[in-house]
Amino acid sequence: EKELINLNIREPIKLDVNDFQLRGVISEKIDGNLYLMKINFGKNGKFCAVKKILTSKLEEKSSNILNEIKILKTIRCPFTINAQFEAQDVNYTYLIMPLIVGKDLYRIIKKFGFIQEKLAKFYSAQILLALEYLHNLDIVFRNLKPENIMVDHIGYLKVHDFKYAKHLENNGRTYTICGTPEYMAPECINLQGYGKSVDWWAFGILVYEMSTGITPFYDQSQEILLTNIISGKYNIKHVLSFDLRNFIEKFIKIEPTERFGLSRLGVNEIKQDRWFTSINWHELVHKRLKPLYLPNIRNP
């Protein structure tokens, strides 16, 4: 685990925009479009995902973009996306990230209806390591959901979309309501102030959704959904193993201090849970465990 926790902070290498060859559009967003590009770097060049951002937006104090860029330039974790290179021209800043060829976890869940327990455990362990890494840097992710997790061509995960991520020093608190309603923690909805506790709540919701195909507090009415979350009203209707059911329930606690991950034992308490008994954490960090599922993908 030490190898995952240790930081290797460095500024992204700066490239010239003339090194870019546009190959397509990956996604279009308000804070900046994401493009598929080939960059003339190294012997044969490399395909990358490039986020094109109006430099003027970086000067807006209310913008989350600058904060997102700072975090992406800092993190170096096997299970998160990061910025590798940077470039600028007169009007734009270009953030160059590895191209993750694969499928998002949301589409995989929808394809199969739910994810078999052994595979859900494999995915959950990687997400746990990503959160551990971020929390060790005092970064709260605040946007955990299947749509923000990619399963790559070798069957491993990458957490992405850091637009709501925030650096909180000395166990600080923030009060912003953000994220997807189905994944919001009670303290976020109630404007009580929160920190890392919201990520562990969302982690429990995510494990539940992977295992059942639906979130535990879901209702078509958002008002009822939020009421269910605040009251802690949910029923596990699906047939789950005792260890998995018990594991999930340790995260979906109304009182943040009672949640897994927030005791003095921290993440180690989660890793030592019975549900994770079969996980070799050292081998997982180095991606030496055989993946249980490979998504059907095409090369760019």
Side-chain angles (χ1 to χ4, degrees):
E1 291 124 48
K2 290 182 179 178
E3 294 162 279
L4 178 63
I5 295 170
N6 287 342
L7 257 183
N8 178 23
I9 299 177
R10 59 179 176 81
E11 284 292 302
I13 299 169
K14 293 197 173 182
L15 296 173
D16 191 289
V17 292
N18 293 321
D19 295 322
F20 299 173
Q21 298 176 27
L22 178 63
R23 294 299 180 91
V25 178
I26 297 174
S27 63
E28 296 180 345
K29 296 185 177 180
I30 296 175
D31 59 349
N33 292 344
L34 193 64
Y35 296 94
L36 171 63
M37 293 192 181
K38 187 173 184 180
I39 298 180
N40 298 325
F41 181 78
K43 186 177 179 180
N44 300 313
K46 62 186 296 184
F47 284 99
C48 293
V50 179
K51 190 166 188 174
K52 183 180 178 181
I53 307 160
L54 271 171
T55 303
S56 60
K57 283 188 173 289
L58 304 183
E59 300 169 1
E60 298 175 8
K61 292 183 179 179
S62 60
S63 174
N64 291 325
I65 302 173
L66 186 58
N67 182 60
E68 180 183 5
I69 290 174
K70 286 180 179 178
I71 290 174
L72 288 173
K73 288 166 64 174
T74 300
I75 57 177
R76 293 292 181 272
C77 173
F79 307 109
T80 66
I81 199 72
N82 65 281
Q84 294 182 314
F85 311 101
E86 186 179 14
Q88 287 184 328
D89 59 21
V90 177
N91 297 313
Y92 292 95
T93 294
Y94 301 86
L95 205 61
I96 297 93
M97 297 170 284
L99 178 65
I100 308 302
V101 182
K103 286 186 177 179
D104 67 58
L105 188 55
Y106 177 81
R107 285 196 290 168
I108 293 174
I109 293 172
K110 292 306 176 186
K111 178 181 179 179
F112 295 107
F114 66 94
I115 294 176
Q116 295 290 337
E117 184 171 341
K118 191 173 181 181
L119 181 57
K121 185 185 303 184
F122 179 66
Y123 289 162
S124 298
Q126 295 171 65
I127 298 164
L128 173 66
L129 292 178
L131 291 178
E132 177 187 25
Y133 178 88
L134 295 173
H135 288 181
N136 279 331
L137 298 181
D138 292 322
I139 296 170
V140 183
F141 185 58
R142 304 197 298 176
N143 201 21
L144 193 64
K145 58 181 179 179
E147 293 91 332
N148 291 340
I149 299 168
M150 288 292 293
V151 181
D152 67 17
H153 67 289
I154 63 170
Y156 278 80
L157 303 188
K158 288 283 188 183
V159 176
H160 65 94
D161 196 346
F162 282 76
K163 66 172 175 280
Y164 294 136
K166 188 167 186 176
H167 190 263
L168 293 176
E169 293 183 350
N170 302 318
N171 291 316
R173 298 164 75 85
T174 186
Y175 294 82
T176 308
I177 294 180
C178 61
T180 301
E182 290 175 67
Y183 277 78
M184 282 184 186
E187 61 270 28
C188 178
I189 298 169
N190 287 327
L191 299 175
Q192 295 173 335
Y194 59 86
K196 299 171 185 176
S197 63
V198 298
D199 283 344
W200 293 125
W201 171 277
F203 179 76
I205 303 295
L206 180 58
V207 176
Y208 185 103
E209 183 171 6
M210 281 194 288
S211 305
T212 67
I214 191 170
T215 53
F217 301 99
Y218 176 77
D219 193 279
Q220 289 184 339
S221 164
Q222 184 167 304
E223 182 179 353
I224 295 175
L225 165 67
L226 298 179
T227 300
N228 289 343
I229 292 172
I230 293 170
S231 65
K233 181 183 176 182
Y234 74 96
N235 292 305
I236 300 180
K237 299 177 181 179
H238 296 72
V239 178
L240 304 178
S241 71
F242 174 83
D243 288 343
L244 174 54
R245 178 187 291 261
N246 186 53
F247 182 78
I248 291 170
E249 290 176 344
K250 290 175 181 176
F251 293 96
I252 310 177
K253 299 281 189 181
I254 297 299
E255 175 52 50
T257 57
E258 296 178 0
R259 280 176 215 150
F260 239 15
L262 295 169
S263 73
R264 62 182 180 81
L265 296 175
V267 177
N268 285 329
E269 184 178 24
I270 304 175
K271 291 180 179 179
Q272 293 165 10
D273 188 82
R274 280 184 52 173
W275 193 57
F276 275 144
T277 301
S278 62
I279 296 293
N280 184 320
W281 296 100
H282 180 77
E283 294 295 294
L284 181 63
V285 166
H286 294 282
K287 299 187 177 180
R288 291 198 285 253
L289 297 181
K290 184 178 179 181
L292 303 172
Y293 170 75
L294 296 176
N296 293 322
I297 55 175
R298 295 181 303 165
N299 290 324

